Amino acid sequence: MDIIFNYKKTLNRLGNDVELFKLLIETFVSEIPVYTNNLEQALSNNRLSDLAYEAHRLKGSCLIIGLDCASNSAYCIEKMVSEHANWNDTVSQAKILIDHLNHNCKSFLIDQIIQYKKNAQGLVD
């Protein structure tokens, strides 16, 4: 099973700046629905360049906050488009990868809600 999110690794990469981490998480949470919707729209409208662009944006956002598995899925979409793969193959693979991205991002958001609840109850350092 892939690790969806590694809190300690990400915080360490940010120089243990908890406030920066919180800001990045809040930004990501607000932007992820837009990114995934844009990916799905580009795919459904057969816009390869938009699909690659949105996958690239999402890849970077996921990397910044430590969603390596989701970032890898976005990278795979971007790579398929840049390699000019067969459109039908690209569509079917992109749909699978977008589902994977959505699953990982939703899992991450659920983990964040649980983490905030634990923090509010004083269960986490």
Side-chain angles (χ1 to χ4, degrees), residues 38-97:
N38 288 349
L39 273 175
E40 291 167 352
Q41 290 297 315
L43 185 62
S44 67
N45 293 322
N46 299 332
R47 294 187 324 254
L48 279 176
S49 62
D50 290 348
L51 183 63
Y53 174 75
E54 295 300 335
H56 181 79
R57 288 179 60 203
L58 183 57
K59 176 184 73 175
S61 292
C62 290
L63 277 176
I64 288 170
I65 63 165
L67 285 173
D68 296 343
C69 189
S71 178
N72 188 51
S73 294
Y75 169 75
C76 288
I77 294 169
E78 184 181 15
K79 184 176 177 186
M80 280 189 306
V81 173
S82 70
E83 291 176 351
H84 307 290
N86 175 284
W87 175 248
N88 291 330
D89 292 341
T90 300
V91 168
S92 62
Q93 288 297 318
K95 286 179 181 178
I96 292 168
L97 291 167

Side-chain angles (χ1 to χ4, degrees), residues 3 6 13-15 17 20 22 24 29 40 54-55 59-60 63-64 69 71 76 79 86 98-99 106 108 113 116:
I3 295 173
N6 188 325
R13 193 174 67 241
L14 297 172
D17 187 336
L20 175 59
K22 288 178 184 177
L24 290 172
V29 167
E40 291 167 352
E54 295 300 335
K59 176 184 73 175
L63 277 176
I64 288 170
C69 189
S71 178
C76 288
K79 184 176 177 186
N86 175 284
I98 289 171
D99 286 345
K106 285 177 185 172
F108 169 74
I113 290 167
Y116 285 130

